[in-house]
Amino acid sequence: GLYILDVVIGLSGRITTLPSPAQRGIVSQPAWSPDGRFLAVTLETGYGLGIFIFDTQQSTWAALVNDGPFNFHPVWSPDGRHVAFISDRATCPTWVASVPNACNPDTMPTPISGQVYVLEFATNNITQISPAVVSDAPYWVNNETLAFASGDSFDLLNPTRSLWIADMRDKVGREVRLQNGADRQLNLSDRWSPDGNLVIFQSAGTTNETIIMNRNGERIATLDDLTFVRFGMSASWSPDGTRLAIGGKGGQCTYGVRVLETTNFTIVASGSNPRAVCDPTYAPNGARIAFLGIRTTSTSADGRADVYSSTRDGFETQSLTGDLRGQTRFIGWVGR
């Protein structure tokens, strides 16, 4: 089941018998509202998928988006005003068998993708952001900016992945393509700056480059000294946008601490211990960086993974879990 733990009083309770976040073949993670009151959960309905919210103050459930199609991957805006999600409603308005012209699961495949929509929480108004077909969850860059990617990066014969950005002032998604780049875009591991003006990503088409690009598709920098395997880069911008920490992910972590200043993207810190840094993440206040690192000795890495912390510039690195037994895994920061 799905449980909620109150860490203040130390009590937990089961809110649903949901056996897995995989619903009808789609893994859609639950998402907290910024104030911690509501938990948005994707659940199977009689024929499709609906997004429901659990109110922790009232201990009640309510339907957020449950109108017939497949709705999944809910994500709250930082200010809690909007919920972005993916839906197949543009191609299938409903899977409810009793409704005329409903989609037939016997003749149509179960959808694993759709278009991006945004629900305004106060009014329940839903707006389609783009006609682009999306399978990955979108993510909020800031209160007014939503990022997502179209295409299928796992297509063995023709992998594609294009970057999109949407402004909530007009709720229109715009593709951001690298100028003078290849026609077939395969842009991976993207992470936008806090103001939504710059994005770092892996260009993994005919070449494998780590690129920083602006909203107009202009190449701002190419990080020739930082190359990663496909799907193997992780980056985090400081909240004020003046620093950029870069590392590996998924165990493909080939560099130590790498922090760049973002005026001309020169390296501030280039540490070698720990030798391998994965998933660097700035604290919400920007004062420190946390990451998963492989501990090293004077001669080699010993394979021990620990959670480390450093200053915002990547200095004064210290292990936070060195006294614990067994392996550790970095999940993220809690609080502000």
Side-chain angles (χ1 to χ4, degrees):
L2 181 62
Y3 290 76
I4 290 179
L5 168 66
D6 188 322
V7 298
V8 176
I9 63 177
L11 294 178
S12 64
R14 187 172 70 174
I15 62 172
T16 175
T17 57
L18 177 73
S20 165
Q23 298 282 280
R24 299 193 185 277
I26 296 174
V27 178
S28 182
Q29 298 293 345
W32 283 106
S33 63
D35 61 4
R37 176 174 176 175
F38 299 105
L39 183 67
V41 184
T42 300
L43 298 173
E44 292 184 8
T45 60
Y47 298 93
L49 291 176
I51 299 173
F52 299 81
I53 54 173
F54 181 78
D55 186 334
T56 59
Q57 292 185 5
Q58 304 294 329
S59 296
T60 56
W61 284 95
L64 185 65
V65 186
N66 182 33
D67 49 0
F70 275 59
N71 306 295
F72 51 98
H73 288 330
V75 284
W76 297 80
S77 62
D79 59 7
R81 293 178 53 215
H82 299 98
V83 179
F85 63 98
I86 294 177
S87 177
D88 74 327
R89 64 188 59 216
T91 55
C92 182
T94 183
W95 290 83
V96 179
S98 60
V99 176
N101 300 317
C103 295
N104 186 347
D106 294 331
T107 59
M108 297 181 64
T110 300
I112 58 174
S113 60
Q115 283 75 35
V116 175
Y117 293 80
V118 167
L119 175 144
E120 187 173 0
F121 190 62
T123 64
N124 286 327
N125 289 333
I126 295 175
T127 304
Q128 182 176 347
I129 299 300
S130 163
V133 177
V134 174
S135 55
D136 297 336
Y139 67 92
W140 291 93
V141 178
N142 52 50
N143 288 329
E144 300 297 333
T145 309
L146 181 71
F148 55 98
S150 65
D152 184 357
S153 58
F154 296 102
D155 187 324
L156 295 178
L157 299 179
N158 185 35
T160 59
R161 192 172 187 272
S162 299
L163 305 183
W164 293 72
I165 198 89
D167 193 314
M168 289 301 101
R169 287 173 294 187
D170 59 12
K171 293 185 174 63
V172 175
R174 297 172 176 84
E175 185 179 3
V176 183
R177 298 179 66 89
L178 183 66
Q179 294 180 7
N180 301 318
D183 291 336
R184 183 173 62 85
Q185 302 282 300
L186 184 56
N187 302 324
L188 310 174
S189 307
D190 52 293
R191 188 55 54 185
W192 287 86
S193 61
D195 60 6
N197 289 326
L198 298 173
V199 61
I200 181 172
F201 64 97
Q202 292 177 274
S203 177
T206 56
T207 61
N208 186 15
E209 299 177 297
T210 303
I211 294 174
I212 297 171
M213 173 180 69
N214 67 16
R215 275 201 188 201
N216 296 323
E218 297 170 329
R219 185 190 298 249
I220 303 302
T222 303
L223 307 181
D224 293 324
D225 54 344
L226 292 175
T227 57
F228 299 87
V229 298
R230 288 189 180 187
F231 306 97
M233 186 196 76
S234 178
S236 177
W237 299 80
S238 63
D240 62 4
T242 63
R243 295 290 185 269
L244 177 61
I246 305 174
K249 68 179 178 182
Q252 301 291 333
C253 309
T254 55
Y255 303 100
V257 177
R258 296 291 187 271
V259 177
L260 285 66
E261 61 84 24
T262 58
T263 302
N264 53 17
F265 295 100
T266 57
I267 290 180
V268 175
S270 182
S272 59
N273 194 12
R275 183 174 301 175
V277 167
C278 280
D279 303 311
T281 307
Y282 273 94
N285 64 6
R288 299 191 67 82
I289 306 169
F291 54 89
L292 188 69
I294 306 300
R295 189 165 64 188
T296 59
T297 66
S298 59
T299 57
S300 64
D302 64 9
R304 162 82 188 204
D306 280 298
V307 177
Y308 286 78
S309 178
S310 73
T311 66
R312 69 187 298 270
D313 291 325
F315 300 114
E316 300 177 18
T317 299
Q318 55 182 304
S319 173
L320 305 179
T321 61
D323 294 334
L324 300 179
R325 294 175 180 267
Q327 295 284 8
T328 58
R329 182 167 61 94
F330 175 55
I331 298 175
W333 291 91
V334 176
R336 297 184 182 277

